[in-house]
């Protein structure tokens, strides 16, 4: 099961993921995040993975698709809260070569503000 909690604050769309982001649940990410990003033209996205217990290649692809869409419109994406449950899979996927990793949402806000 995947729980997606979203919040829009100070021009940044925060997404907090809990549970498992895998083949079975990646459609939830698409419906609750990707579609909103496209519909509202969101250009600053922070995805917090602190509470993810599992991720597979489909889940990583879902994260990457959001990054690609936002990048297309000169936006900024960050991952934060990398934990021991998913660290190996995230690093193995090389997604961090594209999406910057920050410690937490506060640091992401600071970086986005500094960039803007």
């Amino acid at each position: 099961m995947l729980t997606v909690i979203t919040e829009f604050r100070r021009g940044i769309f925060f997404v907090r993921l809990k549970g498992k982001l895998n083949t079975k649940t990646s459609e939830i990410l698409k419906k609750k995040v990707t579609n909103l990003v496209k519909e509202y033209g969101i250009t600053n996205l922070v995805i917090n993975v602190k509470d993810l217990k599992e991720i597979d290649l489909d889940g990583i692809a879902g994260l990457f698709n959001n990054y690609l869409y936002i990048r297309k419109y000169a936006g900024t994406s960050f991952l934060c809260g990398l934990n021991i449950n998913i660290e190996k899979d995230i690093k193995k996927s090389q997604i961090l070569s594209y999406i910057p990793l920050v410690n937490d949402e506060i640091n992401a806000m600071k970086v986005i503000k500094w960039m803007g």
Side-chain angles (χ1 to χ4, degrees):
M1 186 64 178
L2 178 69
T3 302
V4 179
I5 300 166
T6 60
E7 177 183 355
F8 193 77
R9 184 172 19 124
R10 295 185 183 176
I12 303 169
F13 189 47
F14 292 94
V15 176
R16 298 173 190 104
L17 303 176
K18 294 181 180 187
K20 298 178 181 181
L21 179 55
N22 56 29
T23 303
K24 293 179 181 178
T25 62
S26 60
E27 190 63 29
I28 296 169
L29 180 71
K30 184 176 180 182
K31 286 180 182 176
K32 293 191 175 185
V33 178
T34 308
N35 291 345
L36 287 176
V37 166
K38 291 178 179 180
E39 184 178 341
Y40 293 104
I42 292 168
T43 56
N44 292 313
L45 175 67
V46 177
I47 299 177
N48 189 330
V49 295
K50 175 182 72 159
D51 294 324
L52 276 184
K53 300 201 181 328
E54 177 186 304
I55 194 164
D56 69 5
L57 287 177
D58 284 334
I60 291 167
L63 297 176
F64 191 68
N65 287 336
N66 282 293
Y67 158 79
L68 286 177
Y69 189 82
I70 286 180
R71 182 172 177 237
K72 181 178 176 181
Y73 295 98
T76 305
S77 300
F78 290 98
L79 282 179
C80 72
L82 191 60
N83 68 55
I84 195 161
N85 297 320
I86 63 169
E87 182 176 17
K88 182 179 175 186
D89 294 319
I90 291 285
K91 288 184 176 179
K92 184 178 176 184
S93 75
Q94 299 294 314
I95 194 170
L96 297 179
S97 299
Y98 301 93
I99 305 175
L101 177 68
V102 294
N103 291 337
D104 54 35
E105 293 177 7
I106 300 295
N107 283 325
M109 284 177 60
K110 289 177 184 177
V111 172
I112 290 170
K113 184 179 177 182
W114 178 78
M115 292 172 68

